[in-house]
């Protein structure tokens, strides 16, 4: 999959994947790289909220899954693909509507077929969820 560049708005210049129907529906989620590494983000909108007035846990988990691959993106430059094998999450606090939700993380180990990633999600710089997971890397069959 080839990322597209957002051409306008708050995330102008950031990458996103419009051919990911679920992420486009639940997000959209964006990715860029700065001097500290990969950062992902989205603006918490009404559609992301649960009945309690905070970002729905399923939305945050979807964002964490997006970030697993965003953080490990360089591992797929060879044309390989990946699927999430495991993902662990810990909710720390809620994110409110209008908040800038961001994430950073790191690859903790990269093997031939398995990549391990961990990260943290923030709401306006407050930690709201930690996550870790593993990705199974494979070469698509022709």
């Amino acid at each position: 999959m080839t990322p597209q560049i957002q051409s306008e708005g708050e995330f102008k210049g950031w990458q996103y994947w419009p051919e990911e129907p679920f992420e486009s529906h639940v997000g959209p989620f964006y990715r860029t790289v700065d001097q500290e590494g990969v950062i992902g983000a989205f603006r918490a909108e009404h559609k992301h909220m649960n009945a309690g007035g905070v970002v729905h846990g399923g939305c945050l988990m979807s964002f964490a899954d997006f970030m697993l691959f965003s953080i490990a993106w360089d591992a797929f430059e060879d044309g390989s693909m990946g699927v999430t094998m495991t993902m662990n999450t810990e909710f720390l606090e809620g994110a409110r509507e209008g908040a800038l939700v961001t994430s950073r993380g790191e690859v903790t180990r990269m093997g031939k077929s398995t990549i391990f990633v961990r990260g943290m999600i923030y709401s306006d710089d407050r930690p709201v969820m930690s996550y870790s997971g593993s990705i199974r890397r494979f070469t698509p069959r022709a």
Side-chain angles (χ1 to χ4, degrees), residues 38-41 63-64 67 71 101-105 119-122 131:
V38 174
I39 182 170
F63 182 51
M67 287 305 299
I71 293 164
V101 180
T102 61
S103 180
R104 289 190 180 275
M120 183 72 73
I121 296 175
Y122 303 90
Y131 61 91

Side-chain angles (χ1 to χ4, degrees), residues 78-91:
D78 62 0
S80 62
M81 297 183 74
V83 295
T84 305
M85 291 175 32
T86 64
M87 189 170 74
N88 303 294
T89 61
E90 293 83 33
F91 296 99

Side-chain angles (χ1 to χ4, degrees), residues 44-90:
E45 300 175 23
H46 183 72
K47 71 177 186 172
H48 300 125
M49 300 298 115
N50 64 20
V54 296
V55 174
H56 192 285
C59 179
L60 291 174
M61 289 189 289
S62 294
F63 182 51
D65 188 58
F66 167 85
M67 287 305 299
L68 291 177
F69 287 84
S70 293
I71 293 164
W73 182 251
D74 292 344
F76 302 102
E77 289 181 343
D78 62 0
S80 62
M81 297 183 74
V83 295
T84 305
M85 291 175 32
T86 64
M87 189 170 74
N88 303 294
T89 61
E90 293 83 33

Side-chain angles (χ1 to χ4, degrees), residues 105-123:
E106 64 182 337
V107 172
T108 57
R109 182 177 171 122
M110 187 177 315
K112 183 176 180 181
S113 62
T114 307
I115 305 166
F116 298 89
V117 179
R118 69 177 170 202
M120 183 72 73
I121 296 175
Y122 303 90
S123 170

